[in-house]
């Protein structure tokens, strides 16, 4: 059984069908990349999996370890192990990154029947994780995402991912707005989280990110459907030839 | 000698007025309604000296002339209160319960959420257990220590007898009995409250709190608090317990007076969580409170911090009169209204002395169908050379049925004064909620976290233990406000 199964998923926004039957299987340990032109449903797919309001699933299933993800509320999905790294991380004024991380971590621990982490252990853990990711520890004292540069926001996303240790991590255009140095830091962070029991769904516009996070499978999404699937060489081919032929086929 | 004579007179008063109330005295309750006899009754119950009774009566007679002057300028809507339809002295004893098993489990659930220890839960619920007495003796230990340092900290009813010179000198000196409708009523019928005197040069080493005192002596709805910080002294005072009151629509008209002499500092923190009424706006406390501090001395400082989450209606403007040169007034407020709650709250900073400074930080949060108004006055007098004020008013809306209003008044009569005013209004966005929930927090945790972030600047001015409690309270009072 795949870790995450997406079966014939159809979803609409405001009555307009965006996803028109997506089927994907993510096995544990795999990294899947989804590429495609703008407006083809890439972000819709990540939002539907994560459970954001405003999307109506009209058909199909999403299963995590065989459990019906679509029946769960957004926070239950998160606690079950689905993590979404946001394309546009949200500012939470007055809430330090540290306080946010601790609240999130404790929500997860409670769901797992563990007791809440105490303040000292928490700080030790954050210290260790920021060191691994090569991030300045002081970042956790700042209000989450408030006044963060594009690179800092994405790093904060990776830090959260590292702390929460999800089963399935979805990266929604994590490379957007990053310079090459930030891209490298973020990619290193993601790579350090690759493990045999975790799967990644990396949504991106450009092949560039996939030089750093090397995928096992690449899917081309166009007009709400998976138009092609291949290995990492497919990404290079797309980079060279563009998406034109998939759009034509779809039309 | 004078005191003895007054006491004797008071005793005569008791004799004189007790006849009408024989049975009522036994049940420790005055008859319904308000008249001079009731005022005398209360005074007699407290065994007060003549001068105190006279003051009450003066206030009562003045109150009668205010019948048409009940304030209506606040953005509050409530049915006209029939002042003859209440009890002005009810037995302060609450119903004694044998054990916690008899207490409403919902109440206990709330205490648990607040992290109030079991012992305090028992005290708050009015359960008569031995532990309460233990705790009272703990309080007494502190009292003794404080006494040795010269701190006077006792119920005001006791201070009237033990320190009449201080009470006479300062009572009504900041909030005179003619001040306003509710304050005048309070002067006539106040039942109890705290009295604090910090002697010259003493930095009071512990936070003084009504917490244990209120439990020791259940005070009524007309509290009267008087705090005097003598020259060069410092005190931090915490007011109010976080226990929800279970009462139905009741009037709570307290008066607090603070006096800071030369170089003295008073920090006054309140966490107010009276019963807010149910989701449909039935029941709840009408909280009409007059709080004012006078920075009488040079370089004195008064700092108000309030976290207002309870009450059906809040009408409250803790203020500072900055008389002493270079004195400082600060006001930090979080006011949360949910469901049908209404709050009209803010402050007045009256700059009279030279070089006086004031700072106002107000955070209003509205949810449900609630209305939340910041109303503030900054007045700079002609002699207040170089006075400065900074005001920041932020409103946060949760949902689209609630309201936030900001009504700042600035009056400057001195050209050298500088005043600044900043205001923002924002909403908790769906994006913020989804972001938090995507990290595993449930909706209530998410709202609590976001709102606590919004209030942080104010909450961090609270003493440590209070801040933790207040943070939890912020979350609890907004439960069910989203979705």
């Amino acid at each position: 059984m795949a870790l995450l199964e997406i079966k014939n998923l159809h979803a609409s926004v405001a009555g307009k069908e965006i996803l028109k039957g997506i089927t994907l299987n993510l096995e544990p340990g795999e990294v899947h990349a989804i590429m495609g032109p703008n407006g083809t449903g890439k972000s819709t797919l990540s939002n539907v999996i994560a459970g954001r309001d405003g999307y109506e699933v009209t058909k199909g299933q999403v299963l995590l370890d065989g459990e019906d993800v679509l029946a769960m509320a957004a926070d239950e999905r998160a606690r079950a192990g689905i993590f979404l790294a946001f394309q546009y991380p949200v500012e939470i004024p007055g809430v330090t990154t540290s306080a946010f991380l601790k609240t999130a971590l404790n929500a997860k621990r409670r769901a797992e029947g563990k007791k809440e982490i105490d303040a000292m252990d928490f700080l030790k853990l954050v210290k260790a994780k920021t060191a691994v990711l090569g991030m300045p520890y002081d970042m956790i004292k700042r209000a989450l995402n408030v006044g963060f540069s594009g690179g800092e926001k994405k790093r904060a996303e990776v830090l959260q991912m590292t702390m929460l240790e999800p089963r399935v991590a979805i990266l929604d255009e994590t490379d957007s707005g990053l310079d090459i140095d930030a891209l490298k830091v973020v990619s290193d962070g993601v790579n350090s989280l690759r493990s045999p029991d975790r799967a990644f769904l990396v949504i991106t516009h450009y092949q560039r990110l996939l030089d750093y996070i090397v995928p096992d499978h690449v899917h081309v999404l166009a007009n709400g459907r998976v138009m092609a699937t291949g290995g990492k060489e497919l990404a290079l081919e797309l980079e060279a030839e563009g998406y034109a032929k998939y759009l034509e086929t779809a039309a | 000698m004078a005191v003895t004579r007054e006491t004797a007179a008071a005793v005569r008063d008791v004799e004189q007025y007790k006849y009408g109330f024989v049975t009522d005295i036994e049940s420790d309750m005055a008859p319904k309604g308000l008249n001079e006899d009731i005022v005398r009754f209360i005074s007699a119950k407290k065994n007060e000296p003549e001068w105190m009774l006279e003051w009450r009566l003066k206030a009562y007679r003045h109150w009668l002339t205010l019948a048409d002057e009940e304030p209506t300028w606040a953005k509050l809507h409530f049915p006209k209160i029939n002042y003859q339809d209440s009890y002005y002295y009810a037995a302060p004893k609450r119903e004694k319960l044998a054990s916690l098993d008899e207490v409403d489990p919902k109440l206990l659930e709330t205490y648990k959420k607040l992290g109030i220890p079991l012992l305090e839960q028992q005290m708050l619920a009015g359960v008569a257990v031995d532990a309460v007495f233990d705790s009272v003796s703990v309080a007494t230990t502190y009292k003794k220590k404080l006494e040795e340092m010269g701190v006077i900290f006792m119920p005001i009813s006791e201070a009237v007898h033990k320190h009449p010179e201080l009470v006479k000198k300062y009572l009504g000196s900041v909030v005179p009995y003619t001040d306003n409708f509710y304050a005048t009523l309070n002067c006539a019928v106040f039942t109890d409250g705290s009295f604090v005197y910090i002697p010259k040069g003493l930095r009071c080493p512990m936070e003084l709190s009504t917490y244990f005192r209120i439990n020791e002596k259940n005070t009524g709805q007309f509290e009267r608090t008087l705090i005097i910080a003598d020259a060069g002294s410092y005190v931090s005072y915490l007011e109010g317990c976080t226990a929800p009151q279970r009462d139905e629509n009741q009037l709570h008209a307290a008066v607090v007076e603070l006096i800071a002499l030369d170089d003295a500092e008073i920090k006054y923190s309140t966490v107010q969580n009276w019963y807010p009424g149910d989701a449909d706006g039935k029941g709840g406390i009408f909280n009409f409170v007059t709080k004012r501090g006078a920075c009488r001395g040079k370089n004195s400082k008064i700092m108000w911090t309030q976290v207002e989450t309870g009450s059906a209606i809040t009408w409250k403007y803790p203020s500072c009169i900055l008389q002493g040169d270079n004195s400082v007034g600060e006001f930090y407020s979080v006011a949360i209204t949910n469901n049908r709650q209404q709050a009209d709250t803010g402050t007045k900073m009256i700059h009279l002395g030279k070089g006086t400074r004031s700072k106002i930080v107000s955070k209003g949060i509205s949810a449900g169908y609630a209305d939340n108004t910041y109303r503030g006055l900054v007045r700079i007098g002609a002699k207040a050379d170089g006075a400065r004020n900074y005001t920041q008013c932020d409103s946060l809306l949760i949902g689209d049925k609630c309201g936030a209003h900001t009504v700042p008044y600035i009056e400057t009569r001195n050209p050298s004064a500088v005043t600044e005013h900043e205001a923002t209004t924002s909403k908790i966005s769906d994006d913020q909620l989804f972001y938090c929930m995507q990290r595993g927090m449930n909706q209530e945790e998410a709202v609590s976290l976001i709102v606590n972030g919004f209030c942080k600047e104010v909450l961090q001015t609270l003493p440590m233990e209070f801040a933790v409690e207040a943070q939890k309270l912020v979350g609890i009072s907004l439960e069910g406000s989203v979705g």
Side-chain angles (χ1 to χ4, degrees), chain B residues 145-458:
Chain B
K145 225 192 234 168
L146 289 169
E147 260 170 36
E148 284 166 12
M149 290 183 290
V151 172
I152 303 170
F153 179 36
M154 56 177 56
I156 197 158
S157 56
E158 197 180 323
V160 166
H161 293 285
K162 291 193 175 156
H163 302 280
E165 70 297 340
L166 286 172
V167 176
K168 264 189 199 172
K169 183 169 176 190
Y170 291 108
L171 187 73
S173 73
V174 188
V175 180
Y177 72 86
T178 51
D179 195 80
N180 71 70
F181 186 87
Y182 304 117
T184 301
L185 178 62
N186 173 286
C187 293
V189 301
F190 75 87
T191 36
D192 217 332
S194 297
F195 177 84
V196 176
Y197 171 81
I198 311 294
K200 275 189 185 130
L202 181 80
R203 218 187 139 77
C204 187
M206 64 183 81
E207 320 266 354
L208 300 185
S209 161
T210 49
Y211 224 121
F212 54 84
R213 255 200 11 73
I214 274 186
N215 291 303
E216 183 188 310
K217 210 172 207 150
N218 298 339
T219 50
Q221 308 154 54
F222 297 94
E223 295 158 38
R224 183 98 199 178
T225 297
L226 178 58
I227 299 176
I228 303 138
D230 211 329
S233 68
Y234 165 85
V235 64
S236 168
Y237 186 87
L238 315 180
E239 179 209 68
C241 59
T242 50
Q245 288 274 327
R246 312 284 295 166
D247 305 317
E248 295 279 306
N249 253 346
Q250 272 187 325
L251 180 61
H252 180 259
V255 171
V256 175
E257 294 177 281
L258 312 182
I259 295 117
L261 302 179
D262 285 356
D263 305 300
E265 181 176 347
I266 302 174
K267 180 174 169 167
Y268 193 104
S269 312
T270 307
V271 173
Q272 184 267 114
N273 183 30
W274 301 115
Y275 182 51
D278 67 12
D280 300 320
K282 192 169 174 295
I285 301 286
F286 290 174
N287 194 28
F288 299 140
V289 174
T290 304
K291 291 185 168 177
R292 197 175 300 149
C295 285
R296 295 245 163 102
K298 63 176 168 56
N299 307 320
S300 56
K301 179 175 176 182
I302 289 177
M303 177 174 160
W304 297 100
T305 298
Q306 62 170 16
V307 176
E308 302 282 318
T309 64
S311 295
I313 294 180
T314 299
W315 179 98
K316 186 180 169 192
Y317 316 90
S319 304
C320 297
I321 300 171
L322 304 170
Q323 289 169 268
D325 287 350
N326 302 314
S327 59
V328 178
E330 291 181 1
F331 173 75
Y332 298 90
S333 170
V334 168
I336 299 178
T337 50
N338 194 3
N339 297 318
R340 303 272 174 180
Q341 280 177 279
Q342 305 172 59
D344 193 298
T345 184
T347 184
K348 285 188 270 187
M349 291 291 174
I350 313 293
H351 292 252
L352 300 175
K354 290 185 179 61
T356 47
R357 281 167 292 146
S358 63
K359 182 176 176 186
I360 299 169
V361 178
S362 162
K363 306 276 181 179
I365 297 117
S366 318
Y369 293 84
D371 259 311
N372 201 323
T373 302
Y374 167 81
R375 187 182 303 276
L377 168 68
V378 175
R379 179 182 288 156
I380 311 235
K383 290 177 185 162
D385 293 336
R388 292 191 68 112
N389 163 263
Y390 171 75
T391 300
Q392 185 192 331
C393 295
D394 298 323
S395 304
L396 185 70
L397 299 167
I398 303 173
D400 55 8
K401 305 271 192 299
C402 54
H405 319 274
T406 302
V407 191
Y409 300 88
I410 300 176
E411 300 172 10
T412 307
R413 295 197 179 84
N414 187 309
S416 67
V418 180
T419 62
E420 289 173 77
H421 183 95
E422 289 179 26
T424 66
T425 302
S426 51
K427 280 185 81 162
I428 289 192
S429 70
D430 292 343
D431 284 350
Q432 283 176 322
L433 279 178
F434 177 63
Y435 188 72
C436 293
M437 291 175 73
Q438 211 303 304
R439 298 303 184 246
M441 298 170 210
N442 64 38
Q443 198 164 57
E444 280 165 359
E445 273 179 301
V447 169
S448 172
L449 187 78
I450 294 166
V451 173
N452 268 298
F454 175 74
C455 304
K456 189 181 184 188
E457 202 180 340
V458 171

Side-chain angles (χ1 to χ4, degrees), chain A:
Chain A
M1 185 172 54
L3 178 53
L4 186 75
E5 290 175 78
I6 303 170
K7 293 183 180 171
N8 191 28
L9 186 65
H10 291 251
S12 323
V13 179
K16 185 170 183 261
E17 190 168 58
I18 308 288
L19 301 183
K20 299 169 182 168
I22 304 249
T23 298
L24 288 174
N25 285 317
L26 277 67
E27 299 293 336
E30 289 183 342
V31 173
H32 289 242
I34 293 196
M35 300 184 69
N38 278 331
T40 52
K42 297 195 302 294
S43 284
T44 299
L45 178 62
S46 60
N47 282 326
V48 167
I49 298 171
R52 190 194 279 264
D53 281 345
Y55 297 86
E56 192 195 350
V57 174
T58 50
K59 212 177 189 182
Q61 277 186 308
V62 178
L63 304 174
L64 177 70
D65 271 337
E67 298 264 343
D68 183 0
V69 169
L70 299 177
M72 301 179 201
D75 54 324
E76 292 171 321
R77 298 180 197 196
R79 294 193 296 267
I82 292 176
F83 182 95
L84 172 62
F86 284 60
Q87 184 177 2
Y88 304 109
V90 182
E91 295 185 3
I92 316 281
V95 178
T96 59
T97 303
S98 159
F100 184 88
L101 281 172
K102 196 171 165 202
T103 308
L105 185 60
N106 279 332
K108 177 169 178 267
R109 289 176 66 100
R110 273 201 309 276
E112 290 165 354
K114 295 183 194 160
K115 74 179 204 317
E116 298 198 355
I117 191 164
D118 84 83
M120 292 311 289
D121 290 344
F122 173 75
L123 287 178
K124 255 188 247 165
L125 187 65
V126 187
K127 215 162 207 166
K129 298 289 188 190
T130 47
V132 168
L133 296 171
M135 294 180 191
Y137 173 72
D138 275 359
M139 192 163 130
I140 70 157
K141 296 176 187 166
R142 293 163 60 190
L144 184 62
N145 294 323
V146 178
F148 283 21
S149 70
E152 285 173 327
K153 282 184 182 171
K154 298 296 165 75
R155 274 192 245 181
E157 293 292 289
V158 175
L159 176 61
Q160 291 176 50
M161 194 194 299
T162 311
M163 295 287 291
L164 294 172
E165 301 179 325
R167 309 286 318 280
V168 174
I170 305 165
L171 278 62
D172 190 1
E173 308 230 4
T174 291
D175 50 335
S176 69
L178 291 191
D179 60 31
I180 209 78
D181 294 331
L183 188 66
K184 191 159 175 353
V185 172
V186 168
S187 305
D188 287 349
V190 172
N191 286 330
S192 73
L193 284 173
R194 288 179 80 151
S195 89
D197 55 3
R198 182 172 294 139
F200 285 86
L201 191 60
V202 179
I203 294 172
T204 182
H205 211 61
Y206 301 106
Q207 192 271 335
R208 191 179 66 161
L209 178 67
L210 304 181
D211 286 341
Y212 297 95
I213 304 171
V214 181
D216 301 300
H217 305 278
V218 175
H219 311 277
V220 180
L221 193 65
N223 289 333
R225 291 192 183 89
V226 176
M227 305 301 292
T229 293
K232 62 186 182 224
E233 66 288 345
L234 179 56
L236 293 168
E237 184 192 312
L238 288 168
E239 185 80 352
E241 297 174 16
Y243 295 110
K245 74 175 178 187
Y246 299 105
L247 291 171
E248 278 161 25
T249 318

